Every structure is written in structure tokens, then in C-alpha cells.
Amino acid sequence: MARSGDESRTGELEPSAEAELLAAEAIGGLIEFWGFKRQMGRIWTLLYLSDDALAAQDICDRLQLSAGAASMTLAELEQWGVVHRLRKPGERRDFFAAETDIWKMVTHVWRERELRQIERAQAAFDRAKRLVEPLAKAKGASRAHKVKLARLRQLAALAKVGDALARMVLEQGKLDLGPLRNWRAGAASDEE
């Protein structure tokens, strides 16, 4: 539900402002679920729903945020490329607008976050396999080492599939689950 005092405010607001807060809270919750700060989702949504760029003070007033919290969050949103700082002629203050191409936003975040994490996992699995492989292939190797190597290979294969699926979505805008089904079938046969 709403946070930061918005729950008590929604009954007092005109319908458009109430709808804005409801959407901001919903996106804030989703963003928080994905590991980002709730305020990032709230601010982006407010800007996305606005027909014009907003000044930081307007954002603070509408979302009941402190100037410091808004400033830090806006800076983070700018770094992610989902909010843009603008100047208006005759104005000394900065204004902010949301990136409105949602696909562009999603792909940027996936490239910067998910793909990098998958790449780190792939590197770790490859290193782990190299450490265990001599132990598992040595004469008289224990079952534990053989099982560990087989499962590390499964994890490495899954990371490779995840990387391929993520790149497919990013580059083609579609997802073919065939590679995941193939991995699953191979993993099941390795366990037998």
C-alpha cells in the first residue's frame, strides 16, 4: 500500500493526483522488488506521467520527499539514464523529465545490471570448474569431486543459457525458451 504518508493523503486529493500517487506507489513497489530503491520508482513514475518536466521542488511537494532524498534519487536516476535533466529558458533551476521509451530503459538496465551479473557468474563457474576438474579426473577421484564437477558444469551451462536468453531479448525483442528447455533436458539426463 502507500507509504510516506500517502495513504492518508489519497482520500484528500483530486482524482488525477490520487491516480498519480497510486501509480507511483505501484511502480515504487515493483522497482523495490527488483532491487532498486522505492523512491526511484516513485519519482520516475511522477515524471513519466507528467506532461512537462518538473523542478525538484515540485517533485518533493507532490511525493512528500525531502530535498536531499529527491536530489540523491534524481542523481541515481540520471546515472541509469531513465531521467534527464533539462534547462528551460529564463529559469535558473533544473527540471527533470522521464525517459518515456520504456523498452530503451529496460534494455539499458539489463545490459548494465543483469548481463554483468550473468557474466560474473559465468566467470566464477568457469574458475570453480578449473579448480575441481583435476580433483574429479584424478585416479581414484572421490564421488564428491565428480558430483561437484558435474553440477558446476550444469551451473555454467545454465549461466550460458541465461546470457544467451538475455541477449536475445535485448537484441531481438523476443524470447525463445528452446535453449532453456534443452539445458533442462540435459541437466535431468546428467542427474540420472
Side-chain angles (χ1 to χ4, degrees), residues 107-140:
T107 57
H108 176 75
V109 170
W110 269 42
R111 283 187 210 292
E112 294 298 316
R113 201 173 87 146
E114 277 68 14
L115 275 180
R116 288 182 197 250
Q117 191 61 41
I118 291 170
E119 289 166 358
R120 284 191 286 273
Q122 283 180 300
F125 297 145
D126 288 342
R127 186 168 180 333
K129 284 189 314 183
R130 285 192 305 273
L131 291 170
V132 173
E133 205 158 27
L135 302 172
K137 291 186 174 183
K139 184 174 179 162

mmCIF file of all heavy atoms in Angstrom, residues 107-140:
data_model
loop_
_atom_site.group_PDB
_atom_site.id
_atom_site.type_symbol
_atom_site.label_atom_id
_atom_site.label_comp_id
_atom_site.label_asym_id
_atom_site.label_seq_id
_atom_site.Cartn_x
_atom_site.Cartn_y
_atom_site.Cartn_z
ATOM 1 N N THR A 107 16.147 -2.256 -21.517
ATOM 2 C CA THR A 107 17.343 -2.850 -22.120
ATOM 3 C C THR A 107 18.617 -2.236 -21.550
ATOM 4 O O THR A 107 19.602 -2.946 -21.363
ATOM 5 C CB THR A 107 17.333 -2.718 -23.656
ATOM 6 O OG1 THR A 107 17.223 -1.349 -24.037
ATOM 7 C CG2 THR A 107 16.197 -3.521 -24.256
ATOM 8 N N HIS A 108 18.581 -0.950 -21.242
ATOM 9 C CA HIS A 108 19.767 -0.317 -20.642
ATOM 10 C C HIS A 108 20.066 -0.936 -19.274
ATOM 11 O O HIS A 108 21.213 -1.274 -18.966
ATOM 12 C CB HIS A 108 19.559 1.198 -20.521
ATOM 13 C CG HIS A 108 20.676 1.901 -19.840
ATOM 14 N ND1 HIS A 108 21.887 2.129 -20.458
ATOM 15 C CD2 HIS A 108 20.799 2.384 -18.575
ATOM 16 C CE1 HIS A 108 22.689 2.749 -19.608
ATOM 17 N NE2 HIS A 108 22.062 2.906 -18.462
ATOM 18 N N VAL A 109 19.033 -1.077 -18.474
ATOM 19 C CA VAL A 109 19.218 -1.657 -17.133
ATOM 20 C C VAL A 109 19.689 -3.111 -17.249
ATOM 21 O O VAL A 109 20.599 -3.533 -16.539
ATOM 22 C CB VAL A 109 17.929 -1.540 -16.288
ATOM 23 C CG1 VAL A 109 18.033 -2.338 -15.000
ATOM 24 C CG2 VAL A 109 17.640 -0.073 -15.984
ATOM 25 N N TRP A 110 19.096 -3.879 -18.159
ATOM 26 C CA TRP A 110 19.515 -5.275 -18.336
ATOM 27 C C TRP A 110 20.974 -5.361 -18.738
ATOM 28 O O TRP A 110 21.702 -6.209 -18.250
ATOM 29 C CB TRP A 110 18.647 -5.948 -19.395
ATOM 30 C CG TRP A 110 17.443 -6.628 -18.835
ATOM 31 C CD1 TRP A 110 16.617 -6.174 -17.860
ATOM 32 C CD2 TRP A 110 16.936 -7.891 -19.222
ATOM 33 N NE1 TRP A 110 15.615 -7.077 -17.639
ATOM 34 C CE2 TRP A 110 15.788 -8.138 -18.454
ATOM 35 C CE3 TRP A 110 17.336 -8.830 -20.173
ATOM 36 C CZ2 TRP A 110 15.036 -9.289 -18.590
ATOM 37 C CZ3 TRP A 110 16.573 -9.973 -20.302
ATOM 38 C CH2 TRP A 110 15.445 -10.205 -19.512
ATOM 39 N N ARG A 111 21.396 -4.484 -19.642
ATOM 40 C CA ARG A 111 22.802 -4.509 -20.076
ATOM 41 C C ARG A 111 23.733 -4.156 -18.921
ATOM 42 O O ARG A 111 24.773 -4.778 -18.753
ATOM 43 C CB ARG A 111 23.031 -3.510 -21.216
ATOM 44 C CG ARG A 111 22.548 -3.957 -22.539
ATOM 45 C CD ARG A 111 22.974 -2.986 -23.646
ATOM 46 N NE ARG A 111 22.052 -2.930 -24.750
ATOM 47 C CZ ARG A 111 21.824 -3.907 -25.604
ATOM 48 N NH1 ARG A 111 22.440 -5.046 -25.479
ATOM 49 N NH2 ARG A 111 20.966 -3.769 -26.586
ATOM 50 N N GLU A 112 23.350 -3.170 -18.153
ATOM 51 C CA GLU A 112 24.214 -2.690 -17.078
ATOM 52 C C GLU A 112 24.179 -3.566 -15.834
ATOM 53 O O GLU A 112 25.138 -3.588 -15.077
ATOM 54 C CB GLU A 112 23.833 -1.250 -16.695
ATOM 55 C CG GLU A 112 24.094 -0.245 -17.776
ATOM 56 C CD GLU A 112 25.572 -0.161 -18.135
ATOM 57 O OE1 GLU A 112 26.423 -0.139 -17.232
ATOM 58 O OE2 GLU A 112 25.872 -0.130 -19.347
ATOM 59 N N ARG A 113 23.113 -4.255 -15.618
ATOM 60 C CA ARG A 113 22.958 -4.980 -14.366
ATOM 61 C C ARG A 113 22.884 -6.481 -14.567
ATOM 62 O O ARG A 113 23.762 -7.221 -14.131
ATOM 63 C CB ARG A 113 21.692 -4.468 -13.664
ATOM 64 C CG ARG A 113 21.683 -4.739 -12.191
ATOM 65 C CD ARG A 113 20.515 -4.062 -11.568
ATOM 66 N NE ARG A 113 19.348 -4.924 -11.628
ATOM 67 C CZ ARG A 113 18.419 -4.959 -10.693
ATOM 68 N NH1 ARG A 113 18.471 -4.171 -9.667
ATOM 69 N NH2 ARG A 113 17.409 -5.774 -10.808
ATOM 70 N N GLU A 114 21.854 -6.960 -15.232
ATOM 71 C CA GLU A 114 21.652 -8.399 -15.351
ATOM 72 C C GLU A 114 22.753 -9.076 -16.162
ATOM 73 O O GLU A 114 23.285 -10.101 -15.740
ATOM 74 C CB GLU A 114 20.282 -8.699 -15.955
ATOM 75 C CG GLU A 114 19.132 -8.688 -14.957
ATOM 76 C CD GLU A 114 18.782 -7.338 -14.373
ATOM 77 O OE1 GLU A 114 19.232 -6.304 -14.895
ATOM 78 O OE2 GLU A 114 18.063 -7.307 -13.373
ATOM 79 N N LEU A 115 23.076 -8.517 -17.319
ATOM 80 C CA LEU A 115 24.122 -9.155 -18.131
ATOM 81 C C LEU A 115 25.462 -9.167 -17.411
ATOM 82 O O LEU A 115 26.189 -10.159 -17.466
ATOM 83 C CB LEU A 115 24.259 -8.463 -19.491
ATOM 84 C CG LEU A 115 23.301 -8.942 -20.569
ATOM 85 C CD1 LEU A 115 23.538 -8.188 -21.863
ATOM 86 C CD2 LEU A 115 23.389 -10.428 -20.814
ATOM 87 N N ARG A 116 25.790 -8.094 -16.743
ATOM 88 C CA ARG A 116 27.061 -8.061 -15.995
ATOM 89 C C ARG A 116 27.070 -9.110 -14.889
ATOM 90 O O ARG A 116 28.081 -9.752 -14.643
ATOM 91 C CB ARG A 116 27.318 -6.675 -15.429
ATOM 92 C CG ARG A 116 27.678 -5.682 -16.503
ATOM 93 C CD ARG A 116 27.972 -4.323 -15.894
ATOM 94 N NE ARG A 116 27.920 -3.316 -16.909
ATOM 95 C CZ ARG A 116 28.985 -2.674 -17.370
ATOM 96 N NH1 ARG A 116 30.171 -2.936 -16.884
ATOM 97 N NH2 ARG A 116 28.858 -1.753 -18.294
ATOM 98 N N GLN A 117 25.935 -9.278 -14.227
ATOM 99 C CA GLN A 117 25.864 -10.277 -13.158
ATOM 100 C C GLN A 117 25.995 -11.685 -13.732
ATOM 101 O O GLN A 117 26.677 -12.531 -13.162
ATOM 102 C CB GLN A 117 24.551 -10.123 -12.378
ATOM 103 C CG GLN A 117 24.509 -10.934 -11.114
ATOM 104 C CD GLN A 117 25.601 -10.543 -10.138
ATOM 105 O OE1 GLN A 117 25.899 -9.381 -9.943
ATOM 106 N NE2 GLN A 117 26.213 -11.530 -9.512
ATOM 107 N N ILE A 118 25.356 -11.927 -14.859
ATOM 108 C CA ILE A 118 25.474 -13.238 -15.505
ATOM 109 C C ILE A 118 26.925 -13.488 -15.920
ATOM 110 O O ILE A 118 27.453 -14.586 -15.732
ATOM 111 C CB ILE A 118 24.524 -13.348 -16.714
ATOM 112 C CG1 ILE A 118 23.065 -13.389 -16.240
ATOM 113 C CG2 ILE A 118 24.825 -14.589 -17.542
ATOM 114 C CD1 ILE A 118 22.042 -13.247 -17.364
ATOM 115 N N GLU A 119 27.568 -12.469 -16.467
ATOM 116 C CA GLU A 119 28.977 -12.604 -16.875
ATOM 117 C C GLU A 119 29.869 -12.908 -15.672
ATOM 118 O O GLU A 119 30.769 -13.750 -15.749
ATOM 119 C CB GLU A 119 29.445 -11.335 -17.587
ATOM 120 C CG GLU A 119 28.834 -11.171 -18.967
ATOM 121 C CD GLU A 119 29.017 -9.779 -19.555
ATOM 122 O OE1 GLU A 119 29.591 -8.889 -18.884
ATOM 123 O OE2 GLU A 119 28.581 -9.581 -20.706
ATOM 124 N N ARG A 120 29.619 -12.256 -14.550
ATOM 125 C CA ARG A 120 30.400 -12.531 -13.325
ATOM 126 C C ARG A 120 30.173 -13.970 -12.859
ATOM 127 O O ARG A 120 31.109 -14.657 -12.453
ATOM 128 C CB ARG A 120 30.048 -11.543 -12.215
ATOM 129 C CG ARG A 120 30.650 -10.166 -12.410
ATOM 130 C CD ARG A 120 30.509 -9.301 -11.169
ATOM 131 N NE ARG A 120 29.171 -8.806 -10.954
ATOM 132 C CZ ARG A 120 28.692 -7.680 -11.480
ATOM 133 N NH1 ARG A 120 29.427 -6.941 -12.263
ATOM 134 N NH2 ARG A 120 27.458 -7.302 -11.222
ATOM 135 N N ALA A 121 28.922 -14.410 -12.925
ATOM 136 C CA ALA A 121 28.614 -15.791 -12.522
ATOM 137 C C ALA A 121 29.306 -16.779 -13.450
ATOM 138 O O ALA A 121 29.891 -17.765 -12.985
ATOM 139 C CB ALA A 121 27.100 -16.016 -12.524
ATOM 140 N N GLN A 122 29.269 -16.519 -14.763
ATOM 141 C CA GLN A 122 29.935 -17.413 -15.721
ATOM 142 C C GLN A 122 31.427 -17.518 -15.397
ATOM 143 O O GLN A 122 31.992 -18.615 -15.403
ATOM 144 C CB GLN A 122 29.759 -16.897 -17.153
ATOM 145 C CG GLN A 122 28.408 -17.167 -17.740
ATOM 146 C CD GLN A 122 28.315 -16.617 -19.156
ATOM 147 O OE1 GLN A 122 28.458 -15.431 -19.391
ATOM 148 N NE2 GLN A 122 28.075 -17.504 -20.101
ATOM 149 N N ALA A 123 32.063 -16.395 -15.133
ATOM 150 C CA ALA A 123 33.493 -16.399 -14.822
ATOM 151 C C ALA A 123 33.770 -17.196 -13.543
ATOM 152 O O ALA A 123 34.735 -17.966 -13.474
ATOM 153 C CB ALA A 123 34.010 -14.970 -14.694
ATOM 154 N N ALA A 124 32.911 -17.024 -12.549
ATOM 155 C CA ALA A 124 33.095 -17.757 -11.287
ATOM 156 C C ALA A 124 32.910 -19.267 -11.501
ATOM 157 O O ALA A 124 33.691 -20.065 -10.966
ATOM 158 C CB ALA A 124 32.117 -17.245 -10.231
ATOM 159 N N PHE A 125 31.898 -19.662 -12.272
ATOM 160 C CA PHE A 125 31.678 -21.089 -12.536
ATOM 161 C C PHE A 125 32.847 -21.683 -13.309
ATOM 162 O O PHE A 125 33.281 -22.799 -13.032
ATOM 163 C CB PHE A 125 30.373 -21.315 -13.292
ATOM 164 C CG PHE A 125 29.135 -20.905 -12.533
ATOM 165 C CD1 PHE A 125 28.045 -20.372 -13.209
ATOM 166 C CD2 PHE A 125 29.044 -21.044 -11.157
ATOM 167 C CE1 PHE A 125 26.903 -19.992 -12.526
ATOM 168 C CE2 PHE A 125 27.900 -20.660 -10.462
ATOM 169 C CZ PHE A 125 26.831 -20.133 -11.156
ATOM 170 N N ASP A 126 33.356 -20.945 -14.297
ATOM 171 C CA ASP A 126 34.500 -21.441 -15.067
ATOM 172 C C ASP A 126 35.723 -21.627 -14.170
ATOM 173 O O ASP A 126 36.425 -22.625 -14.266
ATOM 174 C CB ASP A 126 34.826 -20.490 -16.225
ATOM 175 C CG ASP A 126 33.787 -20.552 -17.338
ATOM 176 O OD1 ASP A 126 33.017 -21.535 -17.384
ATOM 177 O OD2 ASP A 126 33.743 -19.608 -18.147
ATOM 178 N N ARG A 127 35.961 -20.679 -13.287
ATOM 179 C CA ARG A 127 37.104 -20.792 -12.360
ATOM 180 C C ARG A 127 36.901 -21.971 -11.415
ATOM 181 O O ARG A 127 37.820 -22.745 -11.161
ATOM 182 C CB ARG A 127 37.288 -19.503 -11.582
ATOM 183 C CG ARG A 127 38.520 -19.495 -10.709
ATOM 184 C CD ARG A 127 38.812 -18.102 -10.196
ATOM 185 N NE ARG A 127 39.918 -17.838 -9.356
ATOM 186 C CZ ARG A 127 40.560 -18.605 -8.522
ATOM 187 N NH1 ARG A 127 40.251 -19.833 -8.388
ATOM 188 N NH2 ARG A 127 41.554 -18.183 -7.775
ATOM 189 N N ALA A 128 35.675 -22.106 -10.906
ATOM 190 C CA ALA A 128 35.375 -23.215 -9.991
ATOM 191 C C ALA A 128 35.574 -24.558 -10.690
ATOM 192 O O ALA A 128 36.124 -25.495 -10.101
ATOM 193 C CB ALA A 128 33.943 -23.087 -9.465
ATOM 194 N N LYS A 129 35.132 -24.661 -11.941
ATOM 195 C CA LYS A 129 35.326 -25.912 -12.699
ATOM 196 C C LYS A 129 36.817 -26.214 -12.854
ATOM 197 O O LYS A 129 37.233 -27.364 -12.687
ATOM 198 C CB LYS A 129 34.692 -25.806 -14.093
ATOM 199 C CG LYS A 129 33.196 -25.931 -14.118
ATOM 200 C CD LYS A 129 32.625 -26.042 -15.529
ATOM 201 C CE LYS A 129 33.217 -25.041 -16.477
ATOM 202 N NZ LYS A 129 32.658 -25.043 -17.828
ATOM 203 N N ARG A 130 37.603 -25.193 -13.167
ATOM 204 C CA ARG A 130 39.049 -25.405 -13.340
ATOM 205 C C ARG A 130 39.702 -25.872 -12.039
ATOM 206 O O ARG A 130 40.661 -26.650 -12.065
ATOM 207 C CB ARG A 130 39.731 -24.126 -13.835
ATOM 208 C CG ARG A 130 39.462 -23.835 -15.307
ATOM 209 C CD ARG A 130 40.372 -22.735 -15.852
ATOM 210 N NE ARG A 130 40.324 -21.489 -15.113
ATOM 211 C CZ ARG A 130 39.445 -20.507 -15.335
ATOM 212 N NH1 ARG A 130 38.531 -20.637 -16.282
ATOM 213 N NH2 ARG A 130 39.497 -19.414 -14.624
ATOM 214 N N LEU A 131 39.194 -25.441 -10.914
ATOM 215 C CA LEU A 131 39.739 -25.865 -9.617
ATOM 216 C C LEU A 131 39.379 -27.311 -9.298
ATOM 217 O O LEU A 131 40.194 -28.057 -8.751
ATOM 218 C CB LEU A 131 39.242 -24.941 -8.501
ATOM 219 C CG LEU A 131 39.777 -23.515 -8.509
ATOM 220 C CD1 LEU A 131 39.016 -22.653 -7.503
ATOM 221 C CD2 LEU A 131 41.270 -23.504 -8.193
ATOM 222 N N VAL A 132 38.167 -27.716 -9.624
ATOM 223 C CA VAL A 132 37.681 -29.043 -9.248
ATOM 224 C C VAL A 132 38.032 -30.104 -10.293
ATOM 225 O O VAL A 132 38.200 -31.276 -9.962
ATOM 226 C CB VAL A 132 36.151 -29.004 -8.993
ATOM 227 C CG1 VAL A 132 35.580 -30.388 -8.760
ATOM 228 C CG2 VAL A 132 35.840 -28.096 -7.823
ATOM 229 N N GLU A 133 38.169 -29.695 -11.535
ATOM 230 C CA GLU A 133 38.400 -30.660 -12.622
ATOM 231 C C GLU A 133 39.578 -31.599 -12.349
ATOM 232 O O GLU A 133 39.425 -32.823 -12.493
ATOM 233 C CB GLU A 133 38.590 -29.913 -13.949
ATOM 234 C CG GLU A 133 38.243 -30.749 -15.138
ATOM 235 C CD GLU A 133 37.925 -29.891 -16.348
ATOM 236 O OE1 GLU A 133 38.431 -28.755 -16.443
ATOM 237 O OE2 GLU A 133 37.156 -30.378 -17.190
ATOM 238 N N PRO A 134 40.753 -31.094 -11.948
ATOM 239 C CA PRO A 134 41.860 -32.040 -11.700
ATOM 240 C C PRO A 134 41.549 -33.029 -10.574
ATOM 241 O O PRO A 134 41.960 -34.182 -10.625
ATOM 242 C CB PRO A 134 43.034 -31.143 -11.303
ATOM 243 C CG PRO A 134 42.643 -29.751 -11.653
ATOM 244 C CD PRO A 134 41.165 -29.716 -11.786
ATOM 245 N N LEU A 135 40.787 -32.556 -9.585
ATOM 246 C CA LEU A 135 40.431 -33.434 -8.465
ATOM 247 C C LEU A 135 39.453 -34.523 -8.923
ATOM 248 O O LEU A 135 39.557 -35.676 -8.502
ATOM 249 C CB LEU A 135 39.807 -32.619 -7.330
ATOM 250 C CG LEU A 135 40.667 -31.483 -6.762
ATOM 251 C CD1 LEU A 135 39.854 -30.640 -5.797
ATOM 252 C CD2 LEU A 135 41.910 -32.049 -6.089
ATOM 253 N N ALA A 136 38.502 -34.131 -9.786
ATOM 254 C CA ALA A 136 37.482 -35.077 -10.246
ATOM 255 C C ALA A 136 38.030 -36.067 -11.274
ATOM 256 O O ALA A 136 37.510 -37.167 -11.406
ATOM 257 C CB ALA A 136 36.299 -34.312 -10.836
ATOM 258 N N LYS A 137 39.087 -35.669 -11.986
ATOM 259 C CA LYS A 137 39.642 -36.531 -13.034
ATOM 260 C C LYS A 137 40.857 -37.328 -12.567
ATOM 261 O O LYS A 137 41.368 -38.156 -13.311
ATOM 262 C CB LYS A 137 40.008 -35.684 -14.252
ATOM 263 C CG LYS A 137 38.775 -35.140 -14.959
ATOM 264 C CD LYS A 137 39.133 -34.424 -16.224
ATOM 265 C CE LYS A 137 37.873 -34.017 -16.975
ATOM 266 N NZ LYS A 137 38.168 -33.381 -18.237
ATOM 267 N N ALA A 138 41.298 -37.090 -11.361
ATOM 268 C CA ALA A 138 42.462 -37.805 -10.833
ATOM 269 C C ALA A 138 42.106 -39.272 -10.602
ATOM 270 O O ALA A 138 40.950 -39.626 -10.351
ATOM 271 C CB ALA A 138 42.921 -37.165 -9.525
ATOM 272 N N LYS A 139 43.125 -40.093 -10.712
ATOM 273 C CA LYS A 139 42.923 -41.525 -10.466
ATOM 274 C C LYS A 139 42.413 -41.689 -9.024
ATOM 275 O O LYS A 139 42.949 -41.112 -8.095
ATOM 276 C CB LYS A 139 44.241 -42.263 -10.658
ATOM 277 C CG LYS A 139 44.102 -43.740 -10.525
ATOM 278 C CD LYS A 139 45.378 -44.456 -10.870
ATOM 279 C CE LYS A 139 45.108 -45.933 -10.665
ATOM 280 N NZ LYS A 139 46.052 -46.769 -11.313
ATOM 281 N N GLY A 140 41.352 -42.439 -8.891
ATOM 282 C CA GLY A 140 40.770 -42.675 -7.571
ATOM 283 C C GLY A 140 40.001 -41.475 -7.035
ATOM 284 O O GLY A 140 39.819 -41.341 -5.824
#
